[in-house]
């Protein structure tokens, strides 16, 4: 079993879910008292959020790269960035280490394609929905990606940072998200990617008329498979490790 290194804390609410899913995945595959071999480097999200808001992505990337180097030094054999948004700096993080990084968008796109879908809605932070780094990664897998209109994007973003990252779950926000999903479906979405790890705290499959793709769970499943020897396909890996 390879040691999984988690770059987490963005927010810790979803990182806790990653930890549970990794251990459940190993237990389900191996049985008995088996659990995941993993290391967690949990950053202070307040620092990262300030850099995000200021557009200082290179600095944020160096914080995560330093975390990646620490995890590698501690024995991690593969890495996960436990947030969709910070995959904006995935290449920077991958270049800092000699162990592979499993890209969340690749694992998600593989699941969408495996379900036979090609046109999906994307929910996430404003950065994830509006910038190219994530949508282009999905498009490279042959997906047609729809994002909500501006007012809906602002609502989705606000709920993530003002509620979900703080562990606040409100029924009225769930209702609002369901309405956003309905509008994406009306625009032709065959499925919806929950492209922020916190959204899974609010939205479950029964809240959508089309399949939802829970990125935290998909990322964790890919990590368990890689840890247990399924290998790292080119579809879920950021480039070649640095040598």
């Amino acid at each position: 079993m390879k040691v999984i290194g988690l770059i987490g804390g963005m927010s810790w609410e979803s990182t806790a879910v990653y930890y549970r899913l990794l251990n459940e995945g190993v237990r389900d595959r191996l049985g008995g008292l088996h659990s995941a071999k993993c290391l967690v480097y949990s950053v202070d999200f307040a620092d990262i959020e300030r850099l995000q808001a200021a557009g200082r992505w290179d600095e944020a990337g160096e914080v995560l790269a330093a975390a990646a180097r620490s995890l590698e030094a501690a024995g991690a054999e593969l890495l996960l960035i436990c947030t969709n948004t910070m995959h904006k700096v995935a290449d920077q993080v991958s270049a800092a280490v000699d162990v592979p990084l499993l890209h969340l968008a690749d694992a998600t796109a593989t699941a969408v394609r495996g379900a036979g879908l090609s046109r999906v809605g994307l929910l996430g932070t404003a950065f994830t929905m509006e910038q190219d780094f994530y949508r282009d990664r999905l498009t490279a897998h042959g997906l047609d990606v729809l994002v909500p209109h501006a007012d809906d994007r602002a609502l989705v973003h606000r709920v993530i940072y003002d509620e979900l990252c703080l562990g606040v779950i409100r029924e009225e926000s769930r209702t609002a998200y369901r309405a956003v999903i309905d509008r994406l479906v009306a625009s032709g979405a065959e499925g919806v990617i929950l492209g922020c790890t916190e959204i899974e705290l609010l939205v479950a499959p029964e809240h959508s008329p089309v399949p939802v793709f829970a990125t935290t769970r998909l990322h964790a499943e890919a990590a368990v498979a890689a840890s247990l020897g399924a290998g790292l396909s080119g579809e879920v890996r950021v480039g070649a490790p640095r040598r």
Side-chain angles (χ1 to χ4, degrees):
M1 187 191 308
K2 293 184 176 68
V3 178
I4 302 168
L6 305 176
I7 304 173
M10 301 166 284
S11 68
W12 69 260
E13 294 282 350
S14 63
T15 302
V17 176
Y18 265 95
Y19 182 74
R20 175 176 58 80
L21 291 173
L22 289 173
N23 283 289
E24 289 177 349
V26 171
R27 179 200 62 197
D28 292 347
R29 283 176 177 249
L30 300 183
L33 296 176
H34 285 289
S35 55
K37 292 182 178 180
C38 59
L39 301 166
V40 181
Y41 190 114
S42 191
V43 303
D44 184 351
F45 190 32
D47 295 339
I48 299 297
E49 189 277 332
R50 282 192 293 269
L51 294 173
Q52 289 176 340
R56 293 159 59 186
W57 294 100
D58 285 345
E59 293 175 55
E62 182 48 42
V63 172
L64 300 199
R69 288 190 290 266
S70 294
L71 288 167
E72 182 180 32
E77 297 169 274
L78 60 105
L79 298 176
L80 308 184
I81 300 174
C82 300
T83 159
N84 286 269
T85 297
M86 292 310 295
H87 277 73
K88 181 176 175 70
V89 299
D91 288 344
Q92 185 177 351
V93 174
S94 182
V97 293
D98 291 326
V99 296
L101 175 73
L102 275 69
H103 198 293
L104 196 158
D106 290 346
T108 300
T110 299
V112 174
R113 297 294 296 181
L117 306 183
S118 61
R119 197 173 201 211
V120 288
L122 174 63
L123 301 181
T125 67
F127 310 112
T128 299
M129 292 185 289
E130 295 173 1
Q131 297 183 19
D132 293 338
F133 70 93
Y134 198 87
R135 290 185 286 110
D136 283 357
R137 192 89 182 193
L138 297 173
T139 300
H141 287 267
L143 299 181
D144 182 11
V145 181
L146 305 176
V147 297
H149 62 66
D151 289 345
D152 282 351
R153 294 198 303 270
L155 180 146
V156 169
H157 182 90
R158 179 189 61 76
V159 169
I160 291 169
Y161 280 90
D162 295 350
E163 298 176 20
L164 302 181
C165 286
L166 301 175
V168 176
I169 308 298
R170 292 181 173 149
E171 189 60 39
E172 56 267 35
S173 295
R174 179 177 289 117
T175 300
Y177 266 53
R178 293 180 74 170
V180 173
I181 290 171
D182 287 344
R183 285 189 280 275
L184 285 170
V185 173
S187 297
E190 302 166 327
V192 175
I193 293 172
L194 306 183
C196 172
T197 52
E198 283 79 22
I199 294 178
E200 294 160 56
L201 304 173
L202 184 69
V203 176
E206 62 266 25
H207 300 136
S208 171
V210 296
V212 296
F213 294 88
T215 54
T216 302
R217 179 171 294 277
L218 294 170
H219 205 195
E221 289 173 352
V224 169
S227 173
L228 296 181
L232 300 178
S233 75
E235 293 185 332
V236 294
R237 181 170 172 172
V238 176
R242 177 176 57 82
R243 292 295 179 191

